[in-house]
Amino acid sequence: MGSERMRSTFAALFCFALLTFPAAAVRAQPSGPAEDPSARTHDGFYLRLSLGGGALRAKFQGGDTAPEAEADGGAAMLDVLLGGTPAPGLVVGGGYQFEMAQDADYELGTSTGSSGTLARGVIGPFVEWFPDRHGGFSVGLLAGYSLLQLRTPTIRIFGTEFGGDIRSLGVGGNLWVGYAHWLANQWSLGLAARAGLSTTKNTEDSSQSGSV
């Protein structure tokens, strides 16, 4: 079975609500009304949780035994980032970012439909920079392993079944820009825009792979 690398591009912009908890490292506080030096400062422990929505699109190049496929749709998004600040305003850590499009439109060979499910996840290290460690503007990047999954109703082409559940593994990354407003000394709420790219290869059939 020939191995034909399957490539596709993903460049979708996401706007979503962003909930951040840039909590400072726990420090012993002196008695009295002394001001907390870590208040409203991006230093120490950092946790960010994000929920939102956007668009997800993938294109699959078929192999020797698999047809080409495309899928796209509105997607729900989830981010979980955990890290610390080795330098003022610089956050380094690990995270997971996920998107899923239910009822996605798809084309699989000559078959079309609107009941597909397209999902993409990226897990790996990230870095986020706050130019002003007391401010809300930031730029971030996460890169690592990526999983792409497409589920469609099974179809039969020339006696061979295609579709069902296609899973591909590879590499991917996301880039985001955002702004969060301080609501309290150790947590903030804001908005961000994110774009991502993944390229993957099907692990079950060497003649088919997929990416977003």
Side-chain angles (χ1 to χ4, degrees), residues 65-135:
T65 62
E68 294 187 354
E70 292 188 23
D72 64 85
M77 301 171 58
L78 170 68
D79 290 5
V80 179
L81 303 179
L82 181 67
T85 52
L90 180 65
V91 182
V92 177
Y96 178 66
Q97 296 179 319
F98 176 76
E99 305 97 37
M100 176 179 283
Q102 295 277 15
D103 298 324
D105 296 328
Y106 69 89
E107 295 182 10
L108 181 62
T110 59
S111 176
T112 62
S114 58
S115 58
T117 300
L118 179 63
R120 171 182 179 262
V122 182
I123 185 169
F126 80 92
V127 59
E128 187 168 10
W129 177 52
F130 294 84
D132 178 359
R133 64 174 181 167
H134 303 290

Side-chain angles (χ1 to χ4, degrees), residues 24-93:
V26 177
R27 304 173 183 176
Q29 296 296 325
S31 59
E35 182 179 353
D36 182 359
S38 69
R40 305 198 176 198
T41 302
H42 298 286
D43 68 343
F45 176 73
Y46 182 87
L47 171 65
R48 194 184 90 180
L49 305 175
S50 306
L51 292 173
L56 183 62
R57 180 179 178 85
K59 182 177 181 180
F60 298 81
Q61 180 179 336
D64 295 338
T65 62
E68 294 187 354
E70 292 188 23
D72 64 85
M77 301 171 58
L78 170 68
D79 290 5
V80 179
L81 303 179
L82 181 67
T85 52
L90 180 65
V91 182
V92 177

Side-chain angles (χ1 to χ4, degrees), residues 2-208:
S3 175
E4 180 173 346
R5 189 158 183 81
M6 188 174 189
R7 302 176 182 274
S8 62
T9 58
F10 169 83
L13 186 65
F14 302 96
C15 295
F16 57 96
L18 167 65
L19 181 61
T20 56
F21 295 87
V26 177
R27 304 173 183 176
Q29 296 296 325
S31 59
E35 182 179 353
D36 182 359
S38 69
R40 305 198 176 198
T41 302
H42 298 286
D43 68 343
F45 176 73
Y46 182 87
L47 171 65
R48 194 184 90 180
L49 305 175
S50 306
L51 292 173
L56 183 62
R57 180 179 178 85
K59 182 177 181 180
F60 298 81
Q61 180 179 336
D64 295 338
T65 62
E68 294 187 354
E70 292 188 23
D72 64 85
M77 301 171 58
L78 170 68
D79 290 5
V80 179
L81 303 179
L82 181 67
T85 52
L90 180 65
V91 182
V92 177
Y96 178 66
Q97 296 179 319
F98 176 76
E99 305 97 37
M100 176 179 283
Q102 295 277 15
D103 298 324
D105 296 328
Y106 69 89
E107 295 182 10
L108 181 62
T110 59
S111 176
T112 62
S114 58
S115 58
T117 300
L118 179 63
R120 171 182 179 262
V122 182
I123 185 169
F126 80 92
V127 59
E128 187 168 10
W129 177 52
F130 294 84
D132 178 359
R133 64 174 181 167
H134 303 290
F137 176 77
S138 68
V139 179
L141 173 67
L142 180 146
Y145 291 105
S146 182
L147 169 67
L148 172 65
Q149 184 175 18
L150 174 62
R151 291 181 178 177
T152 65
T154 301
I155 64 171
R156 182 176 293 273
I157 302 177
F158 300 116
T160 302
E161 290 187 347
F162 297 101
D165 190 352
I166 302 172
R167 296 185 182 184
S168 298
L169 293 173
V171 295
N174 294 321
L175 176 68
W176 66 90
V177 177
Y179 183 87
H181 177 70
W182 290 103
L183 297 181
N185 286 342
Q186 304 296 347
W187 64 284
S188 59
L189 179 69
L191 296 173
R194 171 155 69 84
L197 173 69
S198 293
T199 179
T200 62
K201 184 173 181 60
N202 195 315
T203 58
E204 299 178 356
D205 183 349
S206 62
S207 68
Q208 184 183 25

